[in-house]
Amino acid sequence: MQYDISLILFYGITFGILIMTIVYTFIRYIYSKEIFYISYCFMQIFSLVYIAAFSKLFEISNFIQELSLLIASISAVLFAITFYEGKFLPKISNYKELIINTLLLNVVILTAFYHYMLFEYIPYTIIYAILFISIVFNLKQGFKPTLIYVLGWSIFCILLFAFDFKNYYIQKGYFDIVLSVFAIEAILFTISVGYKYNDLKNRNKSFEEMVLQQSKFVKSGEMIANITHQFRQPLNNISYILINLKKKFENNSLDKIYFDKKFIQANNQVEFLSKTIEDFKEFYTNSKDKNNFSVKEAISNALTILSADLKSNNIELDLKFDTFEEVEIFGVKSEFTQVILSIISNAIDVLKNIENPKIKILVSSNSAEVTISLADNGGGIKSKNIKKIFEPYFSTKEQGFGIGLYLSKMIIEESFAGKISVENQKEGAVFSLFIEKAL
C-alpha cells in the first residue's frame, strides 16, 4: 500500500508533538510528583497508540485501538479532576444562583457536545468539559492555567463553528481534523501547565516560608526556657555585685579601684544579656536581605541560644576553625543560624542519655567553598532512616514534627545554592554543609 508523502509527514509531525508532550510531562512528574502530570502523560501515550492505529500506517488491531481510547479516556478523567481548581459544586443560596448555574451548566454540556462533534475524540472532550465546569463554577477565582486551556479551546471551537470550517475541511479532502486537534491540544496544555508549574512553585515557596517561621515558633517555648536559664546566672551575679557595693558603701570602705572593678564586672554581665536578646531577636527576624556575613558569628548566635541546654545536659562543645576565623558566606544570616540551631538541637536530643556527650563543629574552606561539619557521639542514625532524614514530616522523635532538617535542606540548597549531607562515622552522625565562599 502506498501513502501520500505529505500525509506521512503530517502524521510524523503529530507523532512528534505527542512524544514531546509525553516526555515533557513525565519529566515534570519526576520532579514534582503531581498526579495530573503522570495522568496526562498516560493519556497522551494511549492517544499516540490510538492515532497510530487510526493512521493505518501500522498493523494495529481494532481491539488495541478501542482499548487505547478507553484507557486514554480514563486517564483524561483523572487528569481533569487533579488539574481542576476550585469547588466541584457551586454554592447556591437562592433561586437566582440556581437558574444562573443551571444555564451555565447547559452551556458547558452543549459546548462539550459540539467539541466532540467537531473533533470526535472523547478524551479531549472530557478534559474540556470538566475544566470548563471549573471555570463557570468558580468565576470569581480567576484560575489562570485552567482559563488558558478552556478559553483556547472555546475560541478555536467558535471560529470553526462561525466559518463552518469542518465541512470546508472535509470537502477539500484535507487530512483528518483530529490530527490538528492533537497538535493544538498539546500546545494549549504546554502553555497552561507552564502557568500551573509556576503557580505550584510560588505556593511551595510561600508554604516553606510559612513553615520556616512556624518551626521557629514551635521551638519558642524551649528557646525561652533556655534564655530564662541563661538570664538567671548573670542576674544573680549583678545582684551579688550590687550587694557587695552596698556593703562597702555602708562600711565607708568603697574606693575607686573596687568600684571600677565591680562596674566592669556588672557591665560584662549586662553585655552578655544584651547579646543574648539580640541573638534571639535575630533568630526570629523575617528579614530576607542577603549579605556577606561571618560564619563564626552566625554559629555563635545559635550557640548563645542553645548554651543553657548544652550546659544543663553537660554536653561538651568544641568549635574549631581549619581556616581564617572570619571567613564569610553570602545569604540570609538568620536562615543559616536556623540550620545550625536545628542540627545542634537534634544532636542535643540524641545526647541526653549518652555518657560524656560531645558535639564537634569544624569549619574549613578552600579557594571556593566553606565546609561546616557538625559531629556528635550519639551513636549515629539507623541505616533505614538515614536516607529519609531530610524528607518532610519524617522524624525519629516521638514528639518531633519532622520539618527541621527538611527546612535546613531547603535553606542550604535554595537560599545558599549549597549542599547538605549526613553520614555515620565511628562515634555518631556527621552533618556537613557545603556553601560557596563570599567574594
Side-chain angles (χ1 to χ4, degrees):
M1 183 183 291
Q2 291 186 348
Y3 294 97
D4 184 350
I5 188 66
S6 58
L7 178 64
I8 295 173
L9 180 63
F10 200 42
Y11 270 110
I13 292 170
T14 305
F15 293 158
I17 291 172
L18 285 174
I19 291 169
M20 177 196 69
T21 309
I22 290 165
V23 173
Y24 174 78
T25 49
F26 184 71
I27 291 171
R28 284 294 191 203
Y29 172 74
I30 290 173
Y31 282 98
S32 69
K33 303 301 180 186
E34 293 288 343
I35 297 297
F36 69 82
Y37 283 121
I38 195 65
S39 57
Y40 187 86
C41 182
F42 272 109
M43 186 196 73
Q44 292 294 61
I45 288 171
F46 288 99
S47 293
L48 180 61
V49 175
Y50 174 84
I51 200 70
F54 180 84
S55 71
K56 306 300 182 183
L57 295 172
F58 308 93
E59 293 185 4
I60 301 175
S61 68
N62 287 335
F63 173 76
I64 296 296
Q65 183 177 354
E66 294 303 318
L67 181 63
S68 299
L69 181 62
L70 175 63
I71 298 174
S73 299
I74 295 169
S75 300
V77 173
L78 181 59
F79 162 72
I81 291 173
T82 52
F83 197 80
Y84 192 103
E85 296 176 282
K87 297 178 180 178
F88 277 92
L89 294 173
K91 185 179 179 181
I92 300 173
S93 56
N94 53 54
Y95 286 111
K96 182 181 176 182
E97 289 181 352
L98 176 62
I99 293 169
I100 291 171
N101 282 293
T102 301
L103 289 172
L104 289 172
L105 187 58
N106 282 326
V107 170
V108 171
I109 293 170
L110 290 171
T111 310
F113 179 75
Y114 181 67
H115 182 280
Y116 179 72
M117 294 299 293
L118 273 174
F119 307 126
E120 299 177 14
Y121 190 65
I122 191 67
Y124 292 168
T125 301
I126 289 170
I127 295 173
Y128 177 71
I130 294 176
L131 296 187
F132 202 158
I133 291 172
S134 171
I135 294 298
V136 299
F137 283 175
N138 300 276
L139 287 172
K140 296 179 181 179
Q141 303 301 319
F143 297 118
K144 286 184 179 180
T146 306
L147 195 60
I148 290 169
Y149 193 98
V150 172
L151 278 181
W153 271 121
S154 298
I155 292 168
F156 187 57
C157 289
I158 290 168
L159 290 173
L160 292 182
F161 176 77
F163 294 102
D164 196 20
F165 186 76
K166 186 173 183 181
N167 286 332
Y168 175 80
Y169 199 85
I170 294 170
Q171 289 171 7
K172 289 292 183 180
Y174 293 143
F175 310 125
D176 199 294
I177 196 169
V178 73
L179 294 179
S180 301
V181 172
F182 279 105
I184 293 166
E185 198 279 342
I187 293 167
L188 282 173
F189 174 75
T190 303
I191 295 170
S192 60
V193 87
Y195 273 99
K196 183 82 169 180
Y197 177 75
N198 290 332
D199 184 49
L200 288 172
K201 192 175 180 180
N202 291 332
R203 286 186 201 175
N204 286 338
K205 188 174 181 180
S206 298
F207 174 76
E208 285 167 7
E209 289 175 357
M210 179 190 71
V211 173
L212 176 60
Q213 286 304 115
Q214 286 182 344
S215 71
K216 291 179 179 181
F217 288 115
V218 163
K219 286 184 169 288
S220 62
E222 183 182 338
M223 296 299 111
I224 290 169
N226 285 342
I227 287 178
T228 301
H229 186 81
Q230 285 176 237
F231 274 25
R232 187 173 288 114
Q233 187 61 45
L235 289 172
N236 285 338
N237 291 341
I238 291 171
S239 177
Y240 290 138
I241 290 169
L242 292 173
I243 290 170
N244 289 333
L245 285 173
K246 186 173 182 289
K247 285 183 178 179
K248 285 282 186 178
F249 179 76
E250 289 173 348
N251 294 330
N252 294 320
S253 58
L254 180 61
D255 56 36
K256 187 177 184 306
I257 295 174
Y258 186 82
F259 178 82
D260 288 344
K261 177 184 175 183
K262 291 299 176 183
F263 175 81
I264 292 170
Q265 289 177 353
N267 195 53
N268 289 339
Q269 298 300 313
V270 170
E271 286 179 358
F272 174 80
L273 293 173
S274 178
K275 183 179 185 302
T276 302
I277 292 169
E278 285 301 314
D279 289 343
F280 192 72
K281 178 183 174 184
E282 187 172 310
F283 174 66
Y284 281 97
T285 183
N286 288 322
S287 173
K288 289 292 179 182
D289 294 336
K290 290 189 175 184
N291 299 290
N292 289 352
F293 64 87
S294 164
V295 173
K296 181 180 180 181
E297 188 176 320
I299 294 174
S300 296
N301 289 349
L303 296 181
T304 299
I305 295 171
L306 292 170
S307 61
D309 218 2
L310 291 164
K311 187 175 181 181
S312 64
N313 288 288
N314 298 313
I315 297 172
E316 179 187 333
L317 191 137
D318 182 25
L319 174 60
K320 289 181 66 177
F321 283 81
D322 276 357
T323 183
F324 175 54
E325 284 199 8
E326 295 306 318
V327 64
E328 293 185 337
I329 56 178
F330 178 78
V332 181
K333 183 181 175 184
S334 63
E335 289 187 349
F336 181 78
T337 300
Q338 160 81 353
V339 172
I340 300 298
L341 192 143
S342 182
I343 295 171
I344 296 177
S345 292
N346 286 343
I348 290 171
D349 289 336
V350 171
L351 295 172
K352 285 180 178 178
N353 299 313
I354 299 293
E355 189 176 348
N356 299 320
K358 296 177 183 178
I359 296 174
K360 295 179 181 179
I361 303 174
L362 176 64
V363 181
S364 58
S365 71
N366 55 33
S367 58
E369 191 175 59
V370 178
T371 303
I372 303 99
S373 298
L374 302 100
D376 63 59
N377 63 339
I381 303 167
K382 291 181 181 179
S383 56
K384 67 177 183 179
N385 294 331
I386 200 161
K387 291 183 179 179
K388 304 177 184 177
I389 204 73
F390 294 112
E391 292 181 4
Y393 310 113
F394 175 80
S395 178
T396 56
K397 295 181 283 188
E398 289 184 6
Q399 296 181 339
F401 291 91
I403 55 176
L405 290 176
Y406 164 70
L407 284 172
S408 296
K409 185 175 186 290
M410 292 298 101
I411 289 169
I412 295 300
E413 290 182 351
E414 295 183 8
S415 292
F416 290 88
K419 181 184 174 184
I420 182 171
S421 66
V422 61
E423 62 178 341
N424 286 323
Q425 293 188 352
K426 185 178 180 181
E427 294 186 321
V430 180
F431 286 84
S432 299
L433 314 177
F434 305 91
I435 301 172
E436 185 178 348
K437 185 188 289 186
L439 298 176

